[in-house]
Amino acid sequence: QLQLQESGPGLVKPSETLSLTCTVSGDSLSSSSYYWGWIRQTPRKGLEWIGSIHSSGSTYYNPSLKSRLTISVDTSKNHFTLELTSVTAADTAVYYCAKDGLGGSGTTNWFDPWGQGTLVTVSS
Amino acid sequence: DIVMTQSPDSLAVSLGERATINCKSSQSVLYYSTNKNFLAWYQQKPGQPPKMLFYWASTRKSGVPDRFSGSGSGTDFTLTISSLQAEDVAVYYCQQYYRTPVTFGGGTKVEIK
């Protein structure tokens, strides 16, 4: 059964870098033709797609975050990571990782399944 | 970006009654060459991640009860729960994947009256 698990610091200081890892079990990133994504959720802005990555390293980023964002994949560890630089309080959110719902499409589609999510608070 | 607008923000429905949730996109998400609408629906219960219910606007994910249905085309879509059950209390979201950035609606909270 496919499972995704987010991990990383729950508290990040303003102006620093937020780093999260999504570990995948029950599927192999190296043999997958799917994209894998990050989505965040806040009470104010709701659900916001951050970006997605393919096992080949191909990425799609939300333009609103692109200048601060890096998503990478490590197929040997079967995980992918999110780095968001120069964070502010506006980046406080529950961060989810998820599998794209349509393999081989070459782009981002729906998300299924999702990890349980991890709350990241940006505060000094 | 394609803006997804859901209505109502919340609704209270009696057990066994119909619940209808609307989702409108700021531009069409219908891809004419395939006649597919690039729209998904999700259910999120408190403390849980969103769970996908429908893709291509009306294709039900395996295991989703058939009291749930998705319909619509172009810019106007509907999620219907034909006979509300207690376990359906949740927030429901639509999402377009016609164009990146993919975008979500603001959510509709469904409660029991």
Side-chain angles (χ1 to χ4, degrees), chain A residues 39 41 46-49 60-64 96 102 107-117, chain B residues 1 38 40 42 44 47-52 54-56 61 93 95 97 100-105:
Chain A
I39 305 103
Q41 185 172 30
L47 290 163
E48 179 182 28
W49 172 69
Y60 286 94
Y61 291 164
N62 192 320
S64 68
Y96 295 99
L102 185 62
T107 186
T108 293
N109 302 277
W110 63 89
F111 300 101
D112 180 50
W114 298 49
Q116 282 299 308
Chain B
D1 297 3
F38 283 49
Y42 298 87
Q44 186 177 30
Q48 296 184 18
K51 170 188 162 186
M52 196 270 289
F54 291 89
Y55 54 98
W56 303 130
K61 179 186 173 181
Y93 297 93
Q95 177 224 331
Y97 48 97
T100 55
V102 300
T103 49
F104 295 84

Side-chain angles (χ1 to χ4, degrees), chain A residues 29-48:
Chain A
L29 289 178
S30 62
S31 62
S32 172
S33 64
Y34 288 78
Y35 274 80
W36 302 79
W38 288 99
I39 305 103
R40 66 183 183 181
Q41 185 172 30
T42 64
R44 189 175 73 88
K45 292 188 70 175
L47 290 163
E48 179 182 28

